[in-house]
Amino acid sequence: MSLSLSADQPEHPPEADDGAWLECIECGETFAPLEDIRYTCDECDGLLEVRYTDLPSLDEFEGRGVWRYADALPLDSGVTTQEGATPLYEVPRLEDDIGVEALRIKHEGMNPTGSFKDRGMTVGVAVAKELGVDRLACASTGNTSAALAAYGSRGGMETLVLLPAGKVAAGKIAQASLHGARILEVDGNFDSCLDIVQELAARGEAYLLNSLNPFRLEGQKTIGLEILEAFRDDYGAFPDRIVLPVGNAGNTSALYKAFRELVQVGDLPLEEVPKLTGVQAEGAAPMVEAIENDADEVRRWDDVETRATAIRIGNPVNAPKALPGIRETDGTAVAVSDEEITDAQRDLAEEGIGVEPASAASIAGLRKLRADGTVSDDERVACLTTGHLLKDPDAAAAAGSDPQPVPNDTEGVLERLHE
Protein backbone atom coordinates (compact mmCIF):
# COMPACT_ATOMS: atom_id res chain seq x y z
CA MET A 1 0.00 0.00 0.00
CA SER A 2 1.43 3.36 -1.00
CA LEU A 3 1.86 6.00 1.70
CA SER A 4 1.47 8.78 -0.83
CA LEU A 5 0.34 12.29 -0.02
CA SER A 6 -1.94 12.17 -3.05
CA ALA A 7 -3.67 8.90 -2.10
CA ASP A 8 -7.46 9.01 -2.05
CA GLN A 9 -9.39 8.70 1.19
CA PRO A 10 -9.70 4.94 1.85
CA GLU A 11 -12.94 3.06 1.27
CA HIS A 12 -14.90 1.68 4.21
CA PRO A 13 -14.03 -2.07 4.52
CA PRO A 14 -16.32 -4.62 6.22
CA GLU A 15 -13.86 -4.85 9.15
CA ALA A 16 -14.40 -1.20 10.06
CA ASP A 17 -15.76 -0.63 13.55
CA ASP A 18 -17.49 2.70 14.15
CA GLY A 19 -15.71 4.21 11.17
CA ALA A 20 -12.16 3.01 12.00
CA TRP A 21 -10.03 0.02 11.07
CA LEU A 22 -6.43 -1.18 10.88
CA GLU A 23 -4.75 -1.48 7.51
CA CYS A 24 -1.37 -2.91 6.51
CA ILE A 25 0.88 -0.40 4.76
CA GLU A 26 2.52 -3.21 2.75
CA CYS A 27 -0.24 -5.50 1.46
CA GLY A 28 -3.41 -3.53 2.25
CA GLU A 29 -5.01 -6.24 4.42
CA THR A 30 -7.61 -4.79 6.77
CA PHE A 31 -8.60 -5.70 10.33
CA ALA A 32 -11.16 -4.67 12.92
CA PRO A 33 -9.43 -2.20 15.25
CA LEU A 34 -10.40 -3.43 18.72
CA GLU A 35 -11.41 -7.05 18.16
CA ASP A 36 -8.05 -8.77 18.68
CA ILE A 37 -4.58 -7.77 19.83
CA ARG A 38 -2.25 -7.24 16.90
CA TYR A 39 0.74 -5.02 16.22
CA THR A 40 1.63 -6.02 12.65
CA CYS A 41 -0.17 -7.59 9.70
CA ASP A 42 -1.33 -11.21 10.06
CA GLU A 43 -0.60 -11.82 6.38
CA CYS A 44 2.80 -10.22 5.74
CA ASP A 45 4.00 -8.84 9.12
CA GLY A 46 3.92 -5.32 7.70
CA LEU A 47 3.27 -2.25 9.84
CA LEU A 48 -0.34 -1.26 10.51
CA GLU A 49 -2.04 2.14 10.44
CA VAL A 50 -5.40 3.24 11.78
CA ARG A 51 -7.73 4.39 8.99
CA TYR A 52 -10.98 6.35 9.19
CA THR A 53 -14.07 6.60 7.01
CA ASP A 54 -14.86 10.23 7.83
CA LEU A 55 -11.92 12.47 8.61
CA PRO A 56 -12.63 15.83 10.26
CA SER A 57 -11.28 19.16 9.06
CA LEU A 58 -9.17 21.46 11.22
CA ASP A 59 -12.13 23.73 11.87
CA GLU A 60 -14.19 20.93 13.44
CA PHE A 61 -11.99 20.33 16.48
CA GLU A 62 -13.04 21.63 19.89
CA GLY A 63 -11.48 21.65 23.35
CA ARG A 64 -7.84 21.52 24.41
CA GLY A 65 -5.02 18.99 24.41
CA VAL A 66 -4.80 15.61 22.70
CA TRP A 67 -8.49 14.80 23.12
CA ARG A 68 -9.45 18.01 21.35
CA TYR A 69 -8.77 15.82 18.28
CA ALA A 70 -10.99 12.90 19.38
CA ASP A 71 -12.81 12.90 16.03
CA ALA A 72 -9.48 11.99 14.37
CA LEU A 73 -8.63 9.30 16.96
CA PRO A 74 -9.87 5.69 17.39
CA LEU A 75 -11.64 6.40 20.70
CA ASP A 76 -13.68 9.30 22.03
CA SER A 77 -11.67 9.59 25.25
CA GLY A 78 -8.60 8.15 26.92
CA VAL A 79 -6.66 7.61 30.12
CA THR A 80 -5.57 11.21 30.48
CA THR A 81 -3.49 13.55 32.60
CA GLN A 82 -4.27 16.54 30.36
CA GLU A 83 -1.48 15.96 27.87
CA GLY A 84 -0.96 18.03 24.75
CA ALA A 85 -1.49 21.76 24.11
CA THR A 86 2.26 22.27 24.57
CA PRO A 87 3.91 25.67 23.94
CA LEU A 88 5.16 26.80 20.55
CA TYR A 89 7.86 29.18 21.76
CA GLU A 90 9.27 32.16 19.93
CA VAL A 91 13.09 32.34 19.94
CA PRO A 92 13.95 35.68 18.30
CA ARG A 93 17.71 35.66 18.97
CA LEU A 94 18.09 32.09 17.76
CA GLU A 95 15.89 32.85 14.77
CA ASP A 96 18.19 35.73 13.78
CA ASP A 97 21.35 33.75 14.46
CA ILE A 98 20.33 30.76 12.33
CA GLY A 99 18.90 33.06 9.68
CA VAL A 100 15.36 31.95 8.84
CA GLU A 101 12.19 33.99 8.38
CA ALA A 102 10.48 32.40 11.37
CA LEU A 103 11.58 29.83 13.95
CA ARG A 104 9.33 28.35 16.60
CA ILE A 105 10.08 25.62 19.17
CA LYS A 106 7.36 23.06 19.86
CA HIS A 107 8.36 22.01 23.37
CA GLU A 108 6.93 18.56 24.04
CA GLY A 109 8.89 18.46 27.29
CA MET A 110 5.99 20.44 28.76
CA ASN A 111 3.73 17.37 28.75
CA PRO A 112 2.78 15.86 32.16
CA THR A 113 5.68 13.35 32.37
CA GLY A 114 8.05 15.65 30.48
CA SER A 115 8.03 14.20 26.97
CA PHE A 116 5.93 13.71 23.84
CA LYS A 117 5.35 10.06 24.80
CA ASP A 118 2.32 11.10 26.86
CA ARG A 119 0.39 11.81 23.66
CA GLY A 120 0.79 8.23 22.49
CA MET A 121 0.16 6.69 25.90
CA THR A 122 -3.16 8.46 26.51
CA VAL A 123 -4.48 6.69 23.39
CA GLY A 124 -2.50 3.45 23.69
CA VAL A 125 -3.40 2.74 27.31
CA ALA A 126 -7.06 3.52 26.62
CA VAL A 127 -7.02 0.99 23.77
CA ALA A 128 -5.37 -1.57 26.08
CA LYS A 129 -8.22 -1.11 28.57
CA GLU A 130 -10.75 -1.51 25.76
CA LEU A 131 -9.05 -4.77 24.78
CA GLY A 132 -9.15 -6.03 28.36
CA VAL A 133 -5.38 -6.17 28.80
CA ASP A 134 -3.97 -6.35 32.35
CA ARG A 135 -0.20 -5.96 31.77
CA LEU A 136 1.50 -3.30 29.66
CA ALA A 137 5.12 -3.45 28.51
CA CYS A 138 7.70 -1.45 26.62
CA ALA A 139 11.37 -1.27 25.79
CA SER A 140 12.71 2.17 26.47
CA THR A 141 15.57 4.62 26.36
CA GLY A 142 13.74 6.30 29.24
CA ASN A 143 10.88 8.55 28.17
CA THR A 144 8.59 5.73 27.03
CA SER A 145 9.04 3.97 30.36
CA ALA A 146 8.15 7.10 32.33
CA ALA A 147 5.01 7.74 30.28
CA LEU A 148 3.91 4.11 30.25
CA ALA A 149 4.35 3.81 34.01
CA ALA A 150 2.39 7.01 34.68
CA TYR A 151 -0.50 6.23 32.36
CA GLY A 152 -0.56 2.55 33.26
CA SER A 153 -0.72 3.49 36.92
CA ARG A 154 -3.51 5.99 36.27
CA GLY A 155 -5.38 3.29 34.37
CA GLY A 156 -4.91 0.78 37.19
CA MET A 157 -2.76 -1.58 35.12
CA GLU A 158 0.50 -3.44 35.71
CA THR A 159 3.48 -2.10 33.77
CA LEU A 160 6.73 -3.80 32.77
CA VAL A 161 9.71 -1.86 31.46
CA LEU A 162 12.88 -3.23 29.86
CA LEU A 163 15.83 -0.82 29.81
CA PRO A 164 19.38 -1.16 28.43
CA ALA A 165 21.55 -1.44 31.54
CA GLY A 166 23.58 1.68 32.28
CA LYS A 167 22.25 3.54 29.24
CA VAL A 168 19.21 5.41 30.62
CA ALA A 169 19.24 8.79 32.38
CA ALA A 170 18.56 8.53 36.10
CA GLY A 171 15.67 11.00 36.01
CA LYS A 172 13.71 8.76 33.66
CA ILE A 173 14.32 5.60 35.69
CA ALA A 174 13.18 7.47 38.79
CA GLN A 175 9.90 8.39 37.10
CA ALA A 176 9.12 4.83 36.04
CA SER A 177 10.06 3.56 39.49
CA LEU A 178 7.90 6.04 41.39
CA HIS A 179 4.91 5.35 39.17
CA GLY A 180 5.17 1.68 40.09
CA ALA A 181 6.61 0.00 37.01
CA ARG A 182 8.52 -3.25 37.27
CA ILE A 183 11.89 -2.34 35.77
CA LEU A 184 14.22 -4.94 34.25
CA GLU A 185 17.69 -3.85 33.11
CA VAL A 186 18.86 -5.85 30.11
CA ASP A 187 22.50 -6.52 29.30
CA GLY A 188 22.13 -5.10 25.80
CA ASN A 189 21.07 -2.01 23.88
CA PHE A 190 17.58 -0.60 23.25
CA ASP A 191 17.06 -2.67 20.12
CA SER A 192 17.78 -5.85 22.06
CA CYS A 193 15.22 -4.78 24.68
CA LEU A 194 12.64 -4.22 21.96
CA ASP A 195 13.33 -7.66 20.47
CA ILE A 196 12.59 -9.22 23.87
CA VAL A 197 9.44 -7.16 24.50
CA GLN A 198 8.10 -8.07 21.06
CA GLU A 199 8.63 -11.74 21.88
CA LEU A 200 6.85 -11.34 25.23
CA ALA A 201 3.94 -9.66 23.44
CA ALA A 202 3.82 -12.43 20.83
CA ARG A 203 3.52 -14.97 23.66
CA GLY A 204 0.65 -13.03 25.20
CA GLU A 205 2.61 -12.02 28.33
CA ALA A 206 2.02 -8.28 27.92
CA TYR A 207 0.51 -5.62 25.66
CA LEU A 208 3.23 -3.87 23.67
CA LEU A 209 3.17 -0.07 23.84
CA ASN A 210 6.25 0.88 21.89
CA SER A 211 5.64 2.90 18.74
CA LEU A 212 5.32 -0.31 16.74
CA ASN A 213 1.80 -0.17 18.17
CA PRO A 214 -0.26 1.82 15.62
CA PHE A 215 -2.52 3.34 18.28
CA ARG A 216 0.44 5.09 19.92
CA LEU A 217 1.13 7.01 16.75
CA GLU A 218 -2.45 8.23 16.58
CA GLY A 219 -1.86 10.22 19.76
CA GLN A 220 1.46 11.52 18.49
CA LYS A 221 -0.02 12.84 15.25
CA THR A 222 -1.71 15.54 17.33
CA ILE A 223 1.71 17.23 17.59
CA GLY A 224 1.47 17.98 13.89
CA LEU A 225 -2.12 19.18 14.13
CA GLU A 226 -1.21 21.63 16.91
CA ILE A 227 1.77 22.99 14.96
CA LEU A 228 -0.28 23.52 11.82
CA GLU A 229 -3.11 25.26 13.68
CA ALA A 230 -0.72 27.54 15.59
CA PHE A 231 1.23 28.57 12.49
CA ARG A 232 -1.99 29.24 10.61
CA ASP A 233 -3.21 31.43 13.47
CA ASP A 234 0.08 33.31 13.91
CA TYR A 235 1.34 33.62 10.32
CA GLY A 236 -1.71 32.95 8.16
CA ALA A 237 0.21 30.04 6.62
CA PHE A 238 1.55 26.61 7.51
CA PRO A 239 5.26 26.07 8.30
CA ASP A 240 7.54 25.34 5.39
CA ARG A 241 9.49 22.77 7.37
CA ILE A 242 9.27 20.77 10.60
CA VAL A 243 12.59 19.56 12.00
CA LEU A 244 12.53 16.76 14.56
CA PRO A 245 14.85 14.32 16.34
CA VAL A 246 14.64 10.72 15.10
CA GLY A 247 14.98 7.63 17.28
CA ASN A 248 12.40 4.98 16.40
CA ALA A 249 10.92 7.43 13.83
CA GLY A 250 7.47 7.36 15.42
CA ASN A 251 6.96 11.13 15.35
CA THR A 252 8.10 11.38 11.73
CA SER A 253 5.56 8.71 10.82
CA ALA A 254 2.81 10.25 12.94
CA LEU A 255 3.23 13.77 11.56
CA TYR A 256 3.25 12.43 8.01
CA LYS A 257 -0.01 10.61 8.72
CA ALA A 258 -1.55 13.82 10.07
CA PHE A 259 -0.53 15.63 6.86
CA ARG A 260 -1.94 12.90 4.61
CA GLU A 261 -5.27 12.98 6.40
CA LEU A 262 -5.52 16.76 6.08
CA VAL A 263 -4.63 16.57 2.39
CA GLN A 264 -7.43 14.02 1.94
CA VAL A 265 -10.06 16.33 3.47
CA GLY A 266 -8.77 19.33 1.51
CA ASP A 267 -7.41 21.36 4.46
CA LEU A 268 -3.75 21.09 3.46
CA PRO A 269 -2.84 21.77 -0.19
CA LEU A 270 -0.09 19.49 -1.50
CA GLU A 271 2.18 22.45 -2.21
CA GLU A 272 1.86 23.61 1.41
CA VAL A 273 2.76 20.34 3.15
CA PRO A 274 5.71 21.01 5.50
CA LYS A 275 9.01 19.33 4.65
CA LEU A 276 9.67 16.66 7.27
CA THR A 277 13.34 16.85 8.25
CA GLY A 278 14.81 14.21 10.54
CA VAL A 279 17.90 14.68 12.71
CA GLN A 280 19.97 11.89 14.27
CA ALA A 281 23.18 11.76 16.26
CA GLU A 282 26.21 10.72 14.22
CA GLY A 283 26.68 7.66 16.41
CA ALA A 284 23.13 6.44 15.79
CA ALA A 285 22.09 7.50 12.29
CA PRO A 286 20.61 4.59 10.31
CA MET A 287 17.76 6.75 8.95
CA VAL A 288 20.20 9.36 7.68
CA GLU A 289 22.23 6.62 6.02
CA ALA A 290 19.12 5.34 4.23
CA ILE A 291 18.10 8.81 3.03
CA GLU A 292 21.61 9.68 1.83
CA ASN A 293 21.93 6.35 -0.02
CA ASP A 294 18.39 6.51 -1.42
CA ALA A 295 17.79 3.09 0.15
CA ASP A 296 14.36 1.46 0.33
CA GLU A 297 14.95 0.27 3.87
CA VAL A 298 17.12 1.01 6.88
CA ARG A 299 20.20 -1.03 7.71
CA ARG A 300 20.25 -1.97 11.40
CA TRP A 301 23.18 -0.49 13.34
CA ASP A 302 24.15 -2.94 16.08
CA ASP A 303 26.60 -0.56 17.74
CA VAL A 304 25.18 2.88 18.55
CA GLU A 305 26.48 5.53 20.91
CA THR A 306 25.58 9.15 21.68
CA ARG A 307 25.06 11.28 24.76
CA ALA A 308 21.57 11.97 23.35
CA THR A 309 20.25 8.83 25.04
CA ALA A 310 16.64 9.24 23.89
CA ILE A 311 17.68 8.69 20.24
CA ARG A 312 20.36 6.05 20.85
CA ILE A 313 18.54 3.59 18.58
CA GLY A 314 20.02 1.57 15.74
CA ASN A 315 16.92 -0.09 14.28
CA PRO A 316 14.03 2.39 13.92
CA VAL A 317 10.96 0.17 13.65
CA ASN A 318 8.85 2.87 11.99
CA ALA A 319 11.28 3.40 9.11
CA PRO A 320 8.82 1.94 6.53
CA LYS A 321 6.41 4.75 7.45
CA ALA A 322 9.00 7.48 8.06
CA LEU A 323 11.11 7.12 4.91
CA PRO A 324 8.13 7.85 2.62
CA GLY A 325 7.19 10.71 4.95
CA ILE A 326 10.54 12.41 4.46
CA ARG A 327 10.69 11.76 0.73
CA GLU A 328 7.07 12.57 -0.15
CA THR A 329 7.28 15.94 1.64
CA ASP A 330 10.57 16.80 -0.08
CA GLY A 331 12.32 16.71 3.29
CA THR A 332 15.69 15.31 4.24
CA ALA A 333 17.68 13.84 7.13
CA VAL A 334 20.96 14.93 8.68
CA ALA A 335 23.37 13.64 11.33
CA VAL A 336 24.93 15.91 13.94
CA SER A 337 27.76 15.40 16.41
CA ASP A 338 27.31 15.21 20.17
CA GLU A 339 29.19 18.50 20.43
CA GLU A 340 26.74 20.17 18.04
CA ILE A 341 23.85 18.78 20.10
CA THR A 342 25.29 20.21 23.33
CA ASP A 343 25.87 23.59 21.68
CA ALA A 344 22.23 23.60 20.56
CA GLN A 345 21.10 22.65 24.06
CA ARG A 346 22.95 25.73 25.34
CA ASP A 347 21.43 27.88 22.57
CA LEU A 348 17.94 26.91 23.67
CA ALA A 349 18.82 27.43 27.32
CA GLU A 350 19.86 31.02 26.51
CA GLU A 351 16.30 31.54 25.23
CA GLY A 352 14.95 30.14 28.51
CA ILE A 353 13.98 26.76 27.06
CA GLY A 354 15.35 23.72 28.88
CA VAL A 355 15.56 20.45 26.94
CA GLU A 356 17.37 17.14 27.19
CA PRO A 357 20.16 16.47 24.64
CA ALA A 358 18.09 14.48 22.11
CA SER A 359 15.62 17.36 21.87
CA ALA A 360 18.36 19.81 20.95
CA ALA A 361 19.26 17.67 17.93
CA SER A 362 16.50 19.42 15.97
CA ILE A 363 18.16 22.83 16.43
CA ALA A 364 21.61 21.38 15.70
CA GLY A 365 20.28 19.84 12.50
CA LEU A 366 18.54 23.03 11.39
CA ARG A 367 21.72 25.03 11.95
CA LYS A 368 23.73 22.54 9.88
CA LEU A 369 21.20 22.50 7.02
CA ARG A 370 20.97 26.29 7.01
CA ALA A 371 24.77 26.53 6.82
CA ASP A 372 24.97 24.24 3.78
CA GLY A 373 22.08 25.95 2.00
CA THR A 374 19.56 23.11 2.24
CA VAL A 375 17.32 25.40 4.30
CA SER A 376 16.79 28.85 2.80
CA ASP A 377 16.54 32.15 4.64
CA ASP A 378 12.88 32.67 3.72
CA GLU A 379 11.61 29.50 5.41
CA ARG A 380 9.21 29.35 8.35
CA VAL A 381 10.43 26.48 10.52
CA ALA A 382 9.13 24.59 13.55
CA CYS A 383 11.66 22.59 15.55
CA LEU A 384 10.33 19.81 17.75
CA THR A 385 11.96 19.35 21.15
CA THR A 386 10.83 16.08 22.64
CA GLY A 387 11.87 16.01 26.31
CA HIS A 388 12.40 18.30 29.28
CA LEU A 389 15.83 19.35 30.59
CA LEU A 390 15.20 17.55 33.91
CA LYS A 391 14.87 14.22 32.12
CA ASP A 392 18.68 14.13 32.07
CA PRO A 393 19.99 16.45 34.82
CA ASP A 394 23.51 15.01 34.55
CA ALA A 395 23.74 16.08 30.91
CA ALA A 396 22.33 19.48 31.81
CA ALA A 397 24.91 19.95 34.54
CA ALA A 398 27.71 18.93 32.20
CA ALA A 399 26.54 21.44 29.57
CA GLY A 400 26.10 24.28 32.08
CA SER A 401 28.47 26.31 34.18
CA ASP A 402 30.03 25.11 37.44
CA PRO A 403 29.13 26.65 40.82
CA GLN A 404 31.81 28.94 42.27
CA PRO A 405 32.75 28.81 45.96
CA VAL A 406 32.68 32.11 47.91
CA PRO A 407 33.34 33.13 51.54
CA ASN A 408 30.45 33.46 53.97
CA ASP A 409 30.17 37.27 53.73
CA THR A 410 28.93 39.99 51.38
CA GLU A 411 32.39 41.35 50.62
CA GLY A 412 33.54 37.95 49.48
CA VAL A 413 30.53 37.65 47.17
CA LEU A 414 31.17 41.14 45.74
CA GLU A 415 34.82 40.34 45.18
CA ARG A 416 33.85 37.26 43.19
CA LEU A 417 31.31 39.22 41.15
CA HIS A 418 33.90 41.83 40.22
CA GLU A 419 36.52 39.36 39.09
Side-chain angles (χ1 to χ4, degrees):
M1 168 120 185
S2 172
L3 294 181
S4 170
L5 277 168
S6 57
D8 294 331
Q9 191 160 331
E11 296 182 4
H12 187 108
E15 295 85 1
D17 180 10
D18 197 23
W21 67 95
L22 291 171
E23 187 164 325
C24 176
I25 69 168
E26 299 293 342
C27 72
E29 189 70 24
T30 56
F31 307 93
L34 300 173
E35 192 174 279
D36 296 302
I37 295 173
R38 58 172 51 84
Y39 312 101
T40 57
C41 178
D42 295 3
E43 300 298 321
C44 72
D45 202 35
L47 297 180
L48 300 174
E49 279 195 336
V50 185
R51 307 276 193 223
Y52 303 94
T53 304
D54 297 310
L55 290 165
S57 69
L58 282 174
D59 293 330
E60 294 179 52
F61 298 125
E62 295 180 349
R64 179 176 172 82
V66 167
W67 292 101
R68 161 182 167 80
Y69 305 101
D71 288 346
L73 298 174
L75 296 172
D76 292 332
S77 61
V79 177
T80 179
T81 56
Q82 301 181 39
E83 55 291 315
T86 53
L88 188 69
Y89 289 122
E90 295 180 346
V91 282
R93 285 174 294 175
L94 197 51
E95 179 181 276
D96 289 343
D97 186 45
I98 292 176
V100 289
E101 181 177 321
L103 175 60
R104 302 292 286 274
I105 307 299
K106 182 64 169 172
H107 193 4
E108 286 296 293
M110 302 305 284
N111 274 296
T113 76
S115 86
F116 74 92
K117 305 286 187 175
D118 296 351
R119 292 182 186 263
M121 290 306 173
T122 186
V123 178
V125 172
V127 168
K129 289 181 74 70
E130 191 80 12
L131 291 167
V133 172
D134 54 14
R135 179 189 289 153
L136 312 174
C138 71
S140 183
T141 56
N143 286 330
T144 303
S145 66
L148 179 67
Y151 283 78
S153 178
R154 189 163 180 83
M157 306 168 82
E158 180 185 352
T159 58
L160 172 66
V161 170
L162 270 65
L163 305 175
K167 298 294 186 179
V168 177
K172 302 174 186 181
I173 297 176
Q175 282 183 284
S177 174
L178 184 59
H179 288 301
R182 184 169 186 183
I183 302 171
L184 303 179
E185 292 192 316
V186 176
D187 183 18
N189 61 22
F190 166 83
D191 300 300
S192 301
C193 294
L194 185 55
D195 291 341
I196 295 170
V197 170
Q198 286 183 253
E199 180 62 27
L200 290 173
R203 295 185 185 188
E205 294 292 335
Y207 184 68
L208 175 71
L209 271 170
N210 282 97
S211 59
L212 181 69
N213 186 313
F215 297 109
R216 265 242 349 238
L217 299 188
E218 289 304 287
Q220 289 169 220
K221 79 182 181 185
T222 63
I223 300 171
L225 297 175
E226 287 184 6
I227 291 173
L228 293 182
E229 287 180 318
F231 263 75
R232 183 188 62 179
D233 292 346
D234 290 351
Y235 300 104
F238 299 125
D240 298 300
R241 187 182 302 270
I242 298 177
V243 185
L244 66 166
V246 174
N248 247 336
N251 279 335
T252 312
S253 307
L255 266 62
Y256 182 47
K257 186 171 188 290
F259 298 165
R260 289 177 4 242
E261 291 177 349
L262 290 174
V263 168
Q264 287 169 10
V265 299
D267 273 6
L268 181 60
L270 280 173
E271 65 274 13
E272 295 181 26
V273 174
K275 298 176 174 67
L276 284 172
T277 301
V279 185
Q280 294 189 295
E282 288 178 347
M287 281 282 293
V288 176
E289 179 183 69
I291 291 293
E292 289 180 345
N293 294 332
D294 200 25
D296 292 333
E297 58 186 30
V298 165
R299 178 183 67 88
R300 178 170 179 156
W301 287 25
D302 290 321
D303 297 315
V304 289
E305 190 54 63
T306 170
R307 71 182 59 154
T309 57
I311 54 174
R312 190 192 282 145
I313 294 172
N315 187 34
V317 296
N318 288 297
K321 296 176 179 179
L323 287 173
I326 291 173
R327 288 172 174 146
E328 286 279 312
T329 62
D330 197 27
T332 189
V334 65
V336 293
S337 68
D338 278 3
E339 290 72 23
E340 288 169 325
I341 288 172
T342 299
D343 287 344
Q345 189 182 17
R346 294 188 183 110
D347 289 340
L348 285 166
E350 289 178 0
E351 292 275 17
I353 300 171
V355 303
E356 66 171 323
S359 293
S362 59
I363 287 293
L366 173 61
R367 189 182 287 281
K368 192 168 188 175
L369 292 171
R370 180 70 190 95
D372 69 15
T374 301
V375 174
S376 61
D377 61 3
D378 62 352
E379 290 194 34
R380 295 181 300 269
V381 182
C383 279
L384 187 63
T385 58
T386 48
H388 197 278
L389 175 152
L390 294 178
K391 286 286 189 171
D392 193 343
D394 290 339
S401 58
D402 294 327
Q404 299 177 7
V406 295
N408 183 21
D409 58 69
T410 303
E411 293 305 318
V413 170
L414 286 172
E415 183 178 344
R416 176 68 72 181
L417 288 176
H418 294 152
E419 286 180 355

